C-alpha cells in the first residue's frame, strides 16, 4: 500500500503588505515572498530547498512550521490541513513540525542554561517524559553528541558546531515528524559541518523523521537530499529527485545555479561549463510579468520574437511534478550545447 | 633544497630562515613573507595567532589561504595590511612588499601603500564603509586617490564599477547610504571600492562567503578579469575549497597559525601531503559524492594560549601513531619543500601516500 506523504504543500502563498508612505496608487501593494509553491515530502526522506537569497525559502519553511501564517494555499501534514489552524489545535500541531535555524542561539536567552533551553519545548507542551525531564534532556544531549554534564553550561561556552547540536536536541525533543532545517550548517567550518550533517542523517535513520533542508551550499544539499526543489522569486521553478536534478537540470535557472557552484576539484572546475547570470534578483514587490526569470534568463536572449512574447505574457507552470516551469525548456538543451 | 622556480609561484619558502637573514639575499619577489608571527597579550595569557608564516607571491598570481575558523587567516592579512600597528599585537618577522618591509614600515608609509598599491576586502563589510557618506561618494573618493580625474569622471567610474559588481541601477544606488544596502550589496560595494583602485596586491578575506553562488561567480569572474588587466597579485582567504580550486594558482593551508602545506593548486588537491589537508578534503561533500557518511576531522583545534610542544595537529592526527617514537607529540616538525610543494610533517609525502594506499 502506498503511504501518503508526510507533508503536502499546495499553492502556498505569502504576500506581505507593504507599508507605503502616503497612499498606494492602484490599491494595496504586496511583496510576493512566496507565490504559489507546491511540493510533497515523503516519510523519512529529505527535501532540499535551494535558490538565491530572498527567493522565499525561509518564508516557506516558517509557514510549514506555522511560525508564520500563509496568505493562501494548503499545508497538509499527515493528512490534515494545518494552514488555518489556530488556538489549541495549533498548539498541539507544534509537536509535529519543528525548526532548526542557522544560529539557534540568536533567539535564545544567553542567561538560560543549555538544559533549560532544551527542556523549553517539552515544558511548553506540558510533556513529562518517563524518568523525568532532566533525564530526558541528558539523553538528548548524548544523542546529539554532547555530554550530560553540559546541562548546566551556558550558550557562550559553546562553539558554533556545539550550538547547532543544541538546536538539534531541542528540535528532536518532541519527536516531530518533520523538521525544517533553515541553513543549519551555513555558519560552520567544513569539518564541523560534516559532523552536523552526519548527525542529522543518523537521527533520520533512527527516528524516521523527514527534513526540509534549506541551504545555499549545493554540495551539502546534494549529499543530504532525496528530492530537491529550486525556487526563484517566490516561485518553484523545478523539482525532482536529487540525481535527476543535479545530473540533468532542465530549467535555465537551475542550470545557471548549478554551473555557478565552484567545484572542489581543479581539473573539473577548469572544464566546467559556466553560465553566468547578470544583475540581481528583481524585487518581489514588483516582479516581472509572465516568467519571473525572464529579466535574467540566458535562454530568453536567444529566443525569437514570438517565443519571447510567450515568456513576457504568460506565466509558465510546471506541467507535471518533475517538469520545469519554463515555456522553452526543451530548447535549454541547445543552450547547454553552446548555442548562445 | 631551494629549487630554481620554473614559473612564478607562491609557495612557502623552505625551512624557516633566521629572522636576521641579510636583506641582500632578497630574491626580488613581489611579496615575500618570512617567519611572520603575531601574538596578542590577553588577560588569559598570550594568544599565538600566527606562528612563523613563510611564503612568496608574484604578480599575476592568486594565492588561496585556507584553514579552519581561528587558524589565523584574517590575522595574517591584518598584519600584512599594517592594521595591527598601534594595537597590543606583537608582530614579528618580515613581509617584504617590493622590497619594503610592511612589518616595520611606519604608519604614514603604510597609509600610502594602502588603497594605492595594496587593497583589502574585509570579511565584515561594515568595517570598511563609513555610515555617514553615500556608497558612491566613498567609491569615487577611492578612485580619486590614485587617478587624476574630475568629480564627474570619478562618479562615472564608480557607477561603472558598481554595475560591474552586480549592483542593479548603479546610477541611482550611487547616492544611497550603506544602511540602505542589503548585506550582500554592501559586500559588493566594498569589493567595488577595493577594485576601483586597481591595487597591485589585493588581499580578499572571505570576499564572497556571504554571497549567493550566482553572485559569487560574478564577483570571482570580475576579480580574475581585473587581475589579468592589471597583472596584480591576489591573496584570497576562504574556507571554500571549491573557490580555491576554481580561481587559485597556489594554495597555502593554515592550521593553528602555521602553514602546514603549500604548493600549486593541483598538487594540493591531487598529491596531498599533509594529514590536515587530507582531513579537510575528506570532510567535504562534493557535487559528485554519494550520500554516505562524511568524514569530519575528529576533535578540535588547539588552544592558541598553550600550543602543544610537538606537532600542532598531533591531537587530531590519525597518522601520528605511524610516525613512531611519539615524535609527533614531542617534536615540532619543520617545514620542508620539494618542487615547490611544501609540508610540515614528520612523515614525507611518499610515506603518507603509501599509508593511504595500504588502507
Ligand atoms: N585582537 C585579538 N586579541 C586576541 N586574540 C585575537 C585577536 N584577533 C584575533 N585573535 C585570535 O587569533 C586567532 C586567529 O584569528 P583569525 O581571525 O585570524 O582567524 P581566521 O582564520 O580568520 O578565522 P575565520 O575563518 O573564523 O575568519 C583566533 O583564535 C582569534 O580568536
Ligand atoms: N516580514 C516581512 N515583510 C516584508 N517582506 C518580507 C518579510 N519577510 C521576508 N520578506 C521578503 O520576502 C522575500 C523572501 O524572503 P526569505 O523567505 O527570507 O528568503 P530566503 O530565505 O530565500 O533568503 C524577500 O524579498 C524578503 O525581503
Ligand atoms: S519561460 Fe522564458 S524566460 Fe522563463 S525560464 Fe523559460 S525561456 Fe527563460
Ligand atoms: S607531524 Fe605527526 S601529527 Fe603532525 S601531521 Fe605529521 S603525522 Fe600528523
Ligand atoms: Mg533565509
Ligand atoms: Mg577570518
Amino acid at each position: 500500500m502506498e503511504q501518503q506523504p508526510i507533508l503536502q504543500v499546495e499553492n502556498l502563498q505569502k504576500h506581505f503588505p507593504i507599508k507605503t508612505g502616503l497612499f498606494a496608487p492602484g490599491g494595496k501593494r504586496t511583496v510576493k515572498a512566496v507565490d504559489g509553491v507546491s511540493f510533497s515530502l515523503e516519510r523519512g526522506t529529505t527535501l532540499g530547498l535551494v535558490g538565491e537569497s530572498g527567493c522565499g525559502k525561509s518564508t516557506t519553511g516558517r509557514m510549514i512550521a506555522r511560525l508564520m501564517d500563509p496568505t493562501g494555499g494548503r499545508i497538509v501534514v499527515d493528512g490534515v490541513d494545518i494552514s488555518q489552524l489556530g488556538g489549541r489545535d495549533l498548539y498541539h500541531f507544534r509537536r509535529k513540525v519543528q525548526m532548526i535555524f542557522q544560529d539557534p542561539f540568536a533567539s535564545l536567552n544567553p542567561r538560560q542554561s543549555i538544559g533549560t533551553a532544551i527542556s523549553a519545548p517539552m515544558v511548553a507542551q506540558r510533556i513529562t517524559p518517563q524518568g523525568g525531564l532532566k533525564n530526558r534532556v541528558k539523553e538528548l544531549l548524548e544523542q546529539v553528541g554532547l555530554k550530560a554534564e553540559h546541562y548546566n553550561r551556558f550558550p557562550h561556552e559553546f562553539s558554533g558546531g556545539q550550538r547547532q547540536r543544541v538546536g538539534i536536541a531541542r528540535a528532536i525533543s518532541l519527536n516531530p515528524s518533520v523538521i525544517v532545517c533553515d541553513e543549519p550548517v551555513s555558519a560552520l567550518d567544513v569539518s564541523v559541518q560534516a559532523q552536523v550533517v552526519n548527525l542529522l542523517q543518523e537521527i533520520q535513520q533512527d527516528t524516521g523523521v523527514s527534513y526540509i533542508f534549506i541551504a545555499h551550499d549545493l554540495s551539502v544539499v546534494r549529499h543530504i537530499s532525496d528530492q530537491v526543489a529550486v525556487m526563484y522569486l517566490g516561485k518553484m521553478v523545478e523539482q525532482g529527485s536529487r540525481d535527476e536534478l543535479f545530473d540533468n537540470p532542465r530549467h535555465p535557472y537551475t542550470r545557471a545555479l548549478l554551473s555557478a557552484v565552484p567545484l572542489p576539484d581543479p581539473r573539473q572546475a577548469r572544464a566546467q561549463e559556466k553560465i553566468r547570470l547578470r544583475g540581481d534578483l528583481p524585487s518581489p514587490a514588483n516582479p516581472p510579468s509572465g516568467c519571473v526569470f525572464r529579466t535574467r534568463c540566458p535562454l530568453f536572449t536567444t529566443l525569437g520574437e514570438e517565443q519571447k512574447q510567450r515568456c513576457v505574457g504568460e506565466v509558465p507552470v510546471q506541467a507535471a511534478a518533475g517538469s520545469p516551469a519554463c515555456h522553452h525548456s526543451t530548447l535549454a538543451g541547445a543552450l547547454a550545447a553552446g548555442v548562445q | 633544497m631551494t629549487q630554481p622556480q620554473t614559473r612564478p609561484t607562491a609557495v612557502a619558502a623552505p625551512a624557516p630562515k633566521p629572522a636576521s637573514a641579510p636583506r641582500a639575499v632578497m630574491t626580488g619577489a613581489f611579496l615575500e613573507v618570512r617567519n611572520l608571527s603575531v601574538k596578542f597579550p590577553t588577560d588569559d595569557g598570550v594568544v599565538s595567532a600566527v606562528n612563523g608564516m613563510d611564503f612568496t607571491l608574484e604578480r599575476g598570481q592568486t594565492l588561496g589561504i585556507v584553514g579552519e575558523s581561528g587558524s589565523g587567516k584574517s590575522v595574517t592579512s591584518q598584519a600584512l595590511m599594517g592594521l595591527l600597528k598601534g594595537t597590543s599585537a606583537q608582530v614579528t618577522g618580515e613581509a617584504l612588499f617590493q622590497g619594503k618591509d610592511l612589518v616595520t614600515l611606519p604608519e604614514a608609509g603604510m597609509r600610502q601603500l594602502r588603497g594605492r598599491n595594496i587593497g583589502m576586502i574585509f570579511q565584515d563589510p561594515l568595517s570598511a564603509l563609513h555610515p555617514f557618506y553615500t556608497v558612491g561618494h566613498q567609491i569615487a573618493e577611492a578612485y580619486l586617490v590614485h587617478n587624476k580625474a574630475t568629480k564627474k569622471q570619478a562618479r562615472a567610474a564608480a557607477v561603472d564599477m558598481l554595475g560591474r559588481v552586480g549592483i542593479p541601477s548603479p546610477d541611482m544606488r550611487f547616492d544611497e547610504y550603506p544602511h540602505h544596502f542589503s548585506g550582500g550589496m554592501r559586500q559588493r560595494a566594498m569589493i567595488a571600492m577595493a577594485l576601483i583602485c586597481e591595487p597591485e596586491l589585493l588581499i580578499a578575506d572571505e570576499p564572497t562567503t556571504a554571497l549567493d553562488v550566482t553572485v559569487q561567480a560574478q564577483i570571482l569572474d570580475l576579480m580574475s578579469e581585473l587581475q589579468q588587466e592589471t597583472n596584480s597579485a591576489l591573496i584570497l582567504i576562504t574556507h571554500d575549497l571549491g573557490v580555491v580550486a576554481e580561481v587559485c594558482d597556489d594554495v597555502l593551508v593554515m592550521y593553528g597559525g602555521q602553514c602546514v602545506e603549500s604548493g600549486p593548486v593541483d598538487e594540493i588537491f591531487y598529491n596531498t601531503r599533509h594529514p590536515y589537508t587530507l582531513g579537510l578534503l575528506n570532510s567535504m561533500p562534493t557535487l559528485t559524492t554519494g550520500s554516505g557518511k562524511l568524514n569530519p576531522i575528529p576533535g578540535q583545534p588547539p588552544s592558541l594560549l598553550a600550543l602543544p610542544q610537538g606537532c600542532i595537529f598531533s591531537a587530531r592526527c590519525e597518522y601520528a601513531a605511524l610516525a613512531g617514537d611519539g615524535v609527533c607529540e614531542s617534536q615540532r616538525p619543520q617545514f620542508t619543500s620539494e618542487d615547490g610543494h611544501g609540508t610540515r610533517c614528520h612523515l614525507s609525502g611518499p610515506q603518507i601516500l603509501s599509508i593511504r594506499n595500504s588502507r
Side-chain angles (χ1 to χ4, degrees):
Chain A
M1 197 190 79
E2 205 171 292
Q3 260 192 331
Q4 68 176 348
I6 185 68
L7 169 71
Q8 282 165 290
V9 172
E10 289 164 19
N11 201 21
L12 190 62
Q13 288 181 349
K14 181 72 191 183
H15 294 183
F16 292 106
I18 309 181
K19 292 173 207 81
T20 39
L22 291 168
F23 62 98
K28 248 194 347 207
R29 300 227 1 241
T30 56
V31 174
K32 295 178 177 165
V34 175
D35 196 25
V37 161
S38 305
F39 59 83
S40 62
L41 174 66
E42 301 296 331
R43 285 165 204 271
T45 69
T46 300
L47 175 95
L49 196 55
V50 301
E52 254 159 302
S53 119
C55 72
K57 306 180 297 293
S58 298
T59 305
T60 302
R62 298 177 73 89
M63 285 192 284
I64 292 168
R66 283 302 311 273
L67 300 175
M68 191 183 261
D69 297 329
T71 49
R74 279 159 42 93
I75 303 168
V76 181
V77 176
D78 223 353
V80 180
D81 182 0
I82 55 101
S83 61
Q84 304 301 325
L85 289 189
R88 275 204 80 70
D89 295 335
L90 182 59
Y91 168 82
H92 283 299
F93 158 77
R94 298 237 175 267
R95 294 182 191 185
K96 289 218 146 162
V97 180
Q98 288 287 310
M99 193 142 177
I100 299 173
F101 300 94
Q102 181 163 355
D103 183 356
F105 279 174
S107 59
L108 269 190
N109 184 348
R111 276 182 289 260
Q112 197 177 45
S113 76
I114 296 304
T116 315
I118 296 176
S119 333
M122 289 184 282
V123 172
Q125 290 283 335
R126 300 205 185 88
I127 290 172
T128 325
Q130 260 187 344
L133 192 60
K134 194 162 182 172
N135 272 330
R136 172 72 180 137
V137 172
K138 289 185 170 173
E139 242 173 63
L140 285 165
L141 281 168
E142 275 164 10
Q143 196 177 347
V144 297
L146 294 169
K147 299 196 178 87
E149 72 232 38
H150 287 142
Y151 189 94
N152 290 315
R153 301 269 184 88
F154 288 87
H156 70 267
E157 299 173 53
F158 285 77
S159 70
Q162 287 175 321
R163 288 176 192 200
Q164 204 47 281
R165 289 175 194 272
V166 174
I168 294 170
R170 257 169 78 98
I172 62 176
S173 64
L174 301 174
N175 295 316
S177 317
V178 177
I179 301 180
V180 178
C181 311
D182 192 357
E183 308 263 7
V185 296
S186 304
L188 307 176
D189 268 327
V190 264
S191 186
V192 182
Q193 173 179 303
Q195 294 169 6
V196 173
V197 167
N198 282 348
L199 174 63
L200 288 171
Q201 287 186 311
E202 277 161 28
I203 290 171
Q204 185 168 62
Q205 270 154 23
D206 293 348
T207 66
V209 67
S210 310
Y211 295 130
I212 304 280
F213 192 88
I214 300 171
H216 64 249
D217 184 335
L218 293 164
S219 312
V220 178
V221 169
R222 174 156 203 177
H223 181 83
I224 203 169
S225 307
D226 300 289
Q227 297 280 315
V228 179
V230 186
M231 285 181 71
Y232 185 84
L233 207 63
K235 306 246 188 222
M236 188 71 80
V237 298
E238 184 169 8
Q239 53 189 298
S241 80
R242 185 251 318 259
D243 291 339
E244 204 175 275
L245 192 114
F246 276 93
D247 295 338
N248 186 22
R250 291 190 284 164
H251 194 282
Y253 176 65
T254 314
R255 286 168 178 271
L257 191 66
L258 292 183
S259 86
V261 177
L263 302 176
D265 180 324
R267 283 182 202 130
Q268 267 187 38
R270 287 191 283 264
Q272 188 189 24
E273 172 214 9
K274 294 188 174 73
I275 307 168
R276 291 294 185 252
L277 292 183
R278 304 220 39 95
D280 242 359
L281 200 65
S283 160
N286 187 18
S289 68
C291 173
V292 286
F293 187 49
R294 70 176 163 83
T295 52
R296 298 166 79 199
C297 177
L299 182 57
F300 180 79
T301 56
T302 70
L303 298 174
E305 263 325 298
E306 213 167 299
Q307 292 168 314
K308 279 187 180 163
Q309 280 315 312
R310 211 172 155 211
C311 301
V312 176
E314 188 186 331
V315 179
V317 289
Q318 291 185 279
S323 69
C326 169
H327 297 306
H328 307 296
S329 62
T330 46
L331 297 175
L335 186 74
V339 185
Q340 207 170 352
Chain B
M1 220 186 327
T2 317
Q3 303 275 329
Q5 308 272 314
T6 50
R7 67 170 182 123
T9 172
V11 295
K17 298 171 186 123
S20 57
R23 283 277 172 86
V25 301
M26 198 182 80
T27 56
F30 180 63
L31 174 69
E32 177 158 6
V33 174
R34 288 191 208 152
N35 202 21
L36 183 72
S37 294
V38 181
K39 293 191 192 311
F40 295 100
T42 69
D43 291 345
D44 298 330
V46 177
V47 174
S48 305
V50 177
N51 303 295
M53 291 277 287
D54 298 274
F55 63 89
T56 62
L57 179 62
E58 294 297 346
R59 291 197 75 138
Q61 293 284 302
T62 299
L63 170 68
I65 302 186
V66 295
E68 267 165 298
S69 185
S71 59
K73 306 181 296 293
S74 296
V75 172
T76 300
S77 63
Q78 285 157 7
L80 294 180
M81 287 297 285
L83 297 175
L84 299 173
K85 288 184 207 294
T87 73
S88 64
Q90 297 156 0
V91 184
T92 54
E94 285 180 303
L96 302 173
F97 174 71
Q98 297 182 317
K100 283 195 189 110
D101 186 0
L102 302 177
V103 173
T104 51
L105 194 68
E107 174 57 23
M110 205 60 230
R111 213 176 303 130
Q112 278 207 327
L113 288 180
R114 274 201 297 264
R116 194 173 314 181
N117 306 86
I118 310 181
M120 169 116 196
I121 298 172
F122 293 90
Q123 196 165 1
D124 167 21
L126 274 183
S127 61
L129 290 169
H130 197 291
F132 297 161
Y133 296 99
T134 65
V135 171
H137 174 85
Q138 297 183 55
I139 298 172
E141 282 294 307
Y143 182 74
L144 286 170
V145 169
H146 78 130
N147 286 291
K148 277 204 173 65
T150 63
K151 282 235 150 95
K152 212 171 151 198
Q153 287 165 330
R155 180 182 172 111
V159 167
D160 176 60
M161 189 51 80
L162 279 172
R164 289 180 80 176
V165 295
I167 303 276
S169 334
D171 207 16
M172 279 162 59
R173 293 294 191 158
F174 184 95
D175 296 308
E176 290 183 5
Y177 291 86
H179 67 267
H180 291 140
F181 276 39
S182 73
M185 276 163 57
R186 260 181 239 145
Q187 187 75 12
R188 286 187 253 177
M190 184 178 52
I191 291 168
M193 193 156 85
L195 293 181
I196 204 167
C197 303
E198 301 188 349
E200 298 162 315
L201 170 64
L202 178 63
I203 304 177
D205 191 357
E206 309 265 7
T208 57
T209 304
L211 303 177
D212 278 311
V213 283
T214 45
V215 182
Q216 166 170 290
Q218 275 176 13
I219 301 279
L220 292 177
D221 284 354
L222 177 69
M223 283 176 35
S224 317
E225 219 174 89
L226 290 177
Q227 184 188 23
Q228 271 165 19
E229 273 171 34
T230 60
N231 191 33
S232 54
L234 173 62
I235 297 180
L236 186 68
I237 298 173
T238 175
H239 64 251
D240 186 334
L241 293 161
V243 170
V244 169
E246 193 123 311
V247 300
C248 296
D249 302 300
D250 298 287
V251 186
L252 194 156
V253 184
M254 283 191 80
Y255 186 79
Q258 289 191 325
C259 167
V260 294
E261 181 164 7
S262 74
V265 66
D266 283 20
E267 278 286 309
I268 300 294
F269 279 82
Y270 304 126
N271 188 19
T272 317
R273 289 186 183 160
H274 196 277
Y276 174 67
T277 315
L278 281 170
L280 212 54
L281 289 168
N282 286 340
S283 61
M284 186 182 51
T286 70
L287 272 185
T288 46
T289 49
S291 43
K293 275 202 138 195
L294 295 172
N295 302 298
I297 304 171
Q300 262 136 41
S303 160
L304 299 178
L305 289 168
L307 287 172
Q309 188 193 351
C311 173
I312 295 184
F313 188 53
S314 55
R316 305 169 75 186
C317 182
E318 51 173 350
Y319 292 82
L322 302 165
D325 288 346
V327 64
C328 294
E329 286 75 24
S330 61
Q331 275 178 46
R332 194 67 71 78
Q334 293 283 309
F335 192 92
T336 53
S337 180
E338 203 180 308
D339 296 335
H341 182 173
T343 170
R344 189 187 286 279
C345 179
H346 289 304
L347 295 171
S348 69
Q351 279 173 312
I352 295 273
L353 190 69
S354 75
I355 296 169
R356 282 170 72 196
N357 288 341
S358 68
R359 287 192 176 168

